[in-house]
Amino acid sequence: MRLFGDPATSAALPTAAERVRSILAAAHSMTVITDGLRSEVRHLDGGDPMGRLHLHPAEPGGHAEHRPAIRLEFTDVAPTPVRDRVRARVTVLGRLLTPYSDLSAESGAESTCMELERAELQTAEGIAYIGLEELEEAGPDPLAAYEAGMLTHLLDDHHDLVTLLLRLVQPQPTAAVVRALPLAMDRYGITLRLEERRGHRDVRLPFPSPLDDVEQSGAQIQALFSAARRRSHRNTLPA
């Protein structure tokens, strides 16, 4: 199972399957393409759509041509106003085993059965292909449903703490960095986006240990702040 990021630090990053499950769990809308029609499904209940999609393995040599193809598209957008806000795109490909039902919470429709061909995760690192077994074994990140609120709260109410975290960045940011914003948070750590006048780069600050549930997030985040305060040097980001 492929991990994202540098091999030396990949153990502190979600797997591709975990990332997909997390994006689905936090999704509030998706695009559905089937029978030549494209529709936008909004007002998802915030629960993992996989709970309302019954996914089945593709059967080799089956009568696939008699089953309508279906494509589900999800876009993972950063909740903070960073440059290039799209963090990832997820596509779920397969064929319908039952007639398609609108999966929005307001529809009250029954679940849809789908023969899964593959799921695709597209990020800045490239495209990963995930099968049904990997999706079933993975689970959404414990922070997935809370991440947006946590990041916007950190930025809006405690921006000084975002600046404080820069003390943990190695090598230290230079004067070329004009803005630092929280980009992502998962059970393994926080990612900051350092924006320069031209371009940007992302830096990963790992938690002391991975989280098992959201209740542990406060202590782990405070541990990062404490570590940053212990650094004697000051960051060079302009005020």
Side-chain angles (χ1 to χ4, degrees):
M1 188 176 295
R2 185 157 69 92
L3 300 176
F4 281 90
D6 184 85
T9 59
S10 61
L13 294 170
T15 66
E18 289 171 340
R19 188 89 180 269
V20 168
R21 291 299 304 270
S22 297
I23 292 172
L24 267 59
H28 292 283
S29 64
M30 68 178 175
T31 300
V32 180
I33 303 171
T34 187
D35 276 339
L37 299 177
R38 183 185 186 94
S39 60
E40 302 295 327
V41 179
R42 305 186 186 278
H43 309 298
L44 294 177
D45 57 7
D48 191 337
M50 285 187 65
R52 304 191 69 180
L53 276 173
H54 290 190
L55 300 181
H56 301 268
E59 297 181 6
H63 302 287
E65 66 276 11
H66 302 300
R67 298 169 182 163
I70 184 170
R71 178 186 182 99
L72 310 179
E73 298 178 346
F74 302 82
T75 303
D76 177 31
V77 179
T80 52
V82 297
R83 296 176 186 166
D84 299 333
R85 292 186 66 179
V86 174
R87 301 185 297 189
R89 299 182 189 276
V90 170
T91 304
V92 180
L93 299 165
R95 292 188 175 273
L96 285 172
L97 299 178
T98 60
Y100 166 68
S101 298
D102 187 329
L103 297 176
S104 66
E106 297 177 350
S107 70
E110 296 180 358
S111 297
T112 296
C113 288
M114 175 180 174
E115 184 180 79
L116 179 72
E117 294 177 357
R118 67 181 184 275
E120 298 177 359
L121 173 67
Q122 181 179 359
T123 68
E125 290 85 3
I127 300 179
Y129 302 97
I130 305 101
L132 180 58
E133 184 177 352
E134 289 178 292
L135 285 179
E136 291 179 336
E137 291 178 353
D141 192 275
L143 301 186
Y146 308 94
E147 181 204 20
M150 295 170 74
L151 291 181
T152 54
H153 174 71
L154 178 61
L155 178 62
D156 295 342
D157 299 331
H158 302 286
H159 190 265
D160 58 317
L161 296 179
V162 177
T163 303
L164 175 66
L165 289 175
L166 293 178
R167 299 185 185 185
L168 299 175
V169 175
Q170 297 297 329
Q172 273 285 282
T174 68
V177 176
V178 296
R179 190 168 70 155
L181 298 173
L183 172 68
M185 186 185 304
D186 54 53
R187 68 190 301 256
Y188 301 103
I190 297 176
T191 300
L192 303 180
R193 173 155 292 174
L194 308 186
E195 299 181 349
E196 301 179 354
R197 289 179 178 83
R198 293 184 178 180
H200 60 262
R201 66 185 178 100
D202 298 338
V203 294
R204 182 84 171 170
L205 302 178
F207 292 138
S209 59
L211 307 176
D212 294 319
D213 59 63
V214 68
E215 300 298 328
Q216 300 172 354
S217 61
Q220 297 283 10
I221 294 171
Q222 288 300 322
L224 287 183
F225 293 150
S226 296
R229 292 187 181 98
R230 290 194 295 269
R231 293 293 179 97
S232 59
H233 55 266
R234 302 177 65 86
N235 70 78
T236 57
L237 184 66

